[in-house]
Amino acid sequence: MKNKKLQGNVRDAAFSILWAVENKQAYSNLLLHQTIESYGIAAKNRGLLTEITYGTLQHQMTLDYYLEPYLKGKIEAWVKILLRLSLYQIVYLDRIPAHAVVHEAVEIAKRRGHGGVASVVNGVLRSVQRNGVRSFNTISDPYEKISIETSHPEWMIRRWAEQFGLEKTREMALENNKTPLQTVRVNTVRATVEEAIEMLESEGLEAVPSKIIPECLVVTNGQPARTTTFEKGFITIQDESSMLPAYALQVEPGMTVLDMCAAPGGKTTHIAEKMNNSGTLYALDLHQHKVKLIDENAERLGHTVIETTVGDGKQSVERFGEEKFDRILVDAPCSGLGVIKRKPDIKYTKKEQDFARLQEIQIELLDQAARLLKEDGLLVYSTCTVDAIENRGTAERFLKEHPEMEKIQVVLPASMGIKHAGFVQVFPQDYGSDGFFIAAFKKIQKTATA
């Protein structure tokens, strides 16, 4: 393939992102911003670029299923990506005329390949236009059918079906292909929810209060991260689900708190707001460049209570000493299967063998947290996954290995309507937010010293 990019061209820019995701294991969300800059994509076309890039990734397996009957012989990998991208627009976007999509695809094929490739691309797309795409009803295996229909690997569908049943699995997989809500958290130390709505509206954005989190706003247009309201620290970008741990921690001003896996600082700064910026809040993370993000966020929001530190949570007892904290949040590394809506590439890069290793890391972090916690202190364990083994499995194993800890009710905003919650699993389809898990524990006796 020739590397001849079409400057300013949305479809060629989308193609280059999809090529990098498939061949260089690059992340689409990181590439998107770089590509907008390097291609000089006009502001009015950025939404379309985002939509066709993410849409093609989200529906990749479905698109391959639709293409398969039309492909004769072996085609080069880049040509297949171009066909997927084009077919996505023909099948899923009604506002773009099919002939325009075909014309663009042929131009990209000529520029990056040669006339022969261009005529293959033209032939395949025109055949699909004429004859349509095949139904899923020919697939008899229920797991395979959901896998192809929702474009999730079959192992993932089988794993979820074992954990939650087929119906819930299909609902979740369909939800994962929707556009995520754009949500922000109001910095309640600096502004009320009403004031933040007015500020955003004065900048031309529309924001409505979330139905589940009092200090959360759903923004329905524009880019909140590019507003003065954001720049001056009145709001910060965060998903609704990840605002729940700060509630579950039940912090109070003056406490000593640890956020053990803190970067980029969304939950840390939320905890600081719940502490009314009074007390001590340590934010620990493994990497210097990530800790820098916490510092930047805290500074923008005006939170002086946060002390950042670079280090491994698995060695945090050495750093802080035993029984030092009133509250600890362990928002642990996980498979991330709750955020597929935002990061569709996760579906194709995760492997089933990753899970056992992740649980070992989660348990190591929780073991340290149990020793760091004062008697009567609270520990919250959270993840952005829906996997039962990483969630309930890890929480139950931790309880079994720590008789000094007991499970307690997870405190959540009353508007969620969840009563007497033990372990809380939020699915993407529940509120339209990310999939998320929360468990809360209380230390009922001192750590037995060896």
Side-chain angles (χ1 to χ4, degrees):
M1 177 186 71
K2 297 173 199 159
N3 191 17
K4 286 189 175 176
K5 69 181 191 184
L6 287 154
Q7 199 66 17
N9 185 296
V10 173
R11 288 165 184 86
D12 195 61
F15 168 81
S16 72
I17 296 171
L18 295 167
W19 175 252
V21 167
E22 189 143 316
N23 289 278
K24 300 174 189 165
Q25 273 67 59
Y27 292 113
S28 55
N29 57 330
L30 301 178
L31 277 171
L32 194 64
H33 183 66
Q34 294 164 11
T35 306
I36 284 169
E37 298 298 317
S38 69
Y39 266 80
I41 300 296
K44 67 177 193 297
N45 292 329
R46 286 172 190 175
L48 179 62
L49 173 61
T50 304
E51 186 173 8
I52 62 178
T53 303
Y54 279 108
T56 304
L57 274 173
Q58 282 171 329
H59 298 282
Q60 183 172 304
M61 291 168 65
T62 314
L63 293 165
D64 286 354
Y65 173 78
Y66 288 156
L67 281 169
E68 197 185 6
Y70 296 102
L71 300 180
K72 308 286 177 268
K74 199 163 165 42
I75 63 161
E76 286 182 73
W78 73 268
V79 181
K80 191 163 192 184
I81 290 170
L82 179 57
L83 286 168
R84 270 181 204 150
L85 172 67
S86 308
L87 187 59
Y88 168 74
Q89 296 167 77
I90 292 169
V91 174
Y92 294 94
L93 300 184
D94 4 344
R95 67 178 186 278
I96 299 171
H99 65 84
V101 174
V102 177
H103 173 74
E104 286 264 3
V106 169
E107 288 306 306
I108 293 169
K110 275 184 202 162
R111 196 172 177 93
R112 291 187 176 266
H114 49 76
V117 176
S119 69
V120 168
V121 167
N122 186 46
V124 169
L125 294 175
R126 292 205 180 279
S127 299
V128 177
Q129 253 185 291
R130 260 195 319 276
N131 305 320
V133 292
R134 57 181 171 165
S135 148
F136 304 119
N137 293 336
T138 54
I139 307 170
S140 55
D141 180 284
Y143 302 102
E144 188 192 346
K145 188 175 181 178
I146 293 172
S147 166
I148 296 296
E149 176 196 12
T150 65
S151 201
H152 285 63
E154 200 175 317
W155 70 261
M156 205 177 272
I157 296 296
R158 285 182 182 278
R159 188 178 177 99
W160 288 346
E162 277 168 29
Q163 294 176 356
F164 315 117
L166 261 179
E167 192 182 334
K168 196 152 203 162
T169 295
R170 183 172 179 272
E171 271 177 28
M172 175 156 58
L174 286 168
E175 179 70 31
N176 282 343
N177 290 337
K178 292 182 181 173
T179 305
L181 293 174
Q182 203 172 201
T183 53
V184 299
R185 190 186 79 237
V186 177
N187 178 2
T188 50
V189 175
R190 285 198 167 167
T192 64
V193 168
E194 292 71 25
E195 285 166 347
I197 291 173
E198 278 177 28
M199 286 179 215
L200 287 168
E201 283 177 352
S202 74
E203 296 193 64
L205 280 75
E206 286 167 26
V208 294
S210 151
K211 291 183 175 70
I212 58 169
I213 311 269
E215 61 270 42
C216 175
L217 300 176
V218 180
V219 180
T220 51
N221 70 327
Q223 294 175 290
R226 291 176 174 244
T227 60
T228 308
T229 312
F230 175 84
E231 200 183 304
K232 293 198 168 162
F234 294 107
I235 58 166
T236 198
I237 312 294
Q238 194 180 9
D239 182 72
E240 284 173 291
S241 294
S242 68
M243 296 182 202
L244 298 174
Y247 279 85
L249 266 182
Q250 302 180 54
V251 292
E252 288 168 20
M255 283 185 168
T256 306
V257 182
L258 172 65
D259 185 354
M260 197 185 269
C261 312
K267 296 176 193 70
T268 317
T269 53
H270 195 196
I271 295 164
E273 283 151 33
K274 296 281 180 211
M275 293 169 74
N276 205 16
N277 206 22
S278 158
T280 311
L281 170 53
Y282 287 94
L284 178 70
D285 207 272
L286 200 48
H287 304 287
Q288 176 66 56
H289 68 282
K290 288 189 171 179
V291 168
K292 192 167 170 267
L293 292 174
I294 308 172
D295 285 328
E296 286 166 4
N297 264 321
E299 191 178 340
R300 182 176 59 79
L301 294 162
H303 300 330
T304 51
V305 72
I306 298 166
E307 288 192 31
T308 54
T309 178
V310 179
D312 186 347
K314 299 195 292 294
Q315 288 146 16
S316 44
V317 172
E318 283 173 40
R319 176 177 293 264
F320 296 108
E322 307 224 346
E323 315 228 325
K324 289 286 190 284
F325 295 97
D326 301 298
R327 302 283 188 269
I328 299 176
L329 172 62
V330 177
D331 184 57
C334 69
S335 59
L337 298 184
V339 297
I340 288 173
K341 209 189 280 190
R342 287 173 204 288
K343 298 177 181 175
D345 351 11
I346 288 175
K347 294 193 283 193
Y348 317 115
T349 54
K350 289 289 171 205
K351 300 285 174 280
E352 199 160 9
Q353 52 271 31
D354 297 342
F355 290 86
R357 185 181 52 81
L358 283 165
Q359 191 183 62
E360 291 312 312
I361 294 167
Q362 290 154 1
I363 288 290
E364 275 185 75
L365 291 166
L366 287 168
D367 287 346
Q368 289 279 309
R371 291 172 61 193
L372 290 164
L373 198 61
K374 293 176 185 174
E375 196 172 354
D376 291 329
L378 302 190
L379 162 61
V380 169
Y381 169 64
S382 64
T383 72
C384 59
T385 190
V386 291
D387 192 75
I389 289 167
E390 294 178 86
N391 291 343
R392 182 174 285 272
T394 296
E396 285 174 348
R397 180 178 152 188
F398 170 68
L399 273 176
K400 206 158 85 185
E401 293 172 7
H402 289 271
E404 78 280 16
M405 304 295 296
E406 70 173 7
K407 178 171 110 172
I408 58 167
Q409 280 184 26
V410 177
V411 170
L412 296 170
S415 46
M416 290 183 77
I418 298 177
K419 298 274 185 284
H420 312 301
F423 297 153
V424 174
Q425 176 66 68
V426 174
F427 290 97
Q429 66 268 36
D430 292 345
Y431 305 101
S433 60
D434 292 344
F436 214 83
F437 175 80
I438 304 164
F441 311 96
K442 184 175 187 175
K443 189 168 189 175
I444 49 176
Q445 63 196 61
K446 282 190 178 294
T447 310
T449 44

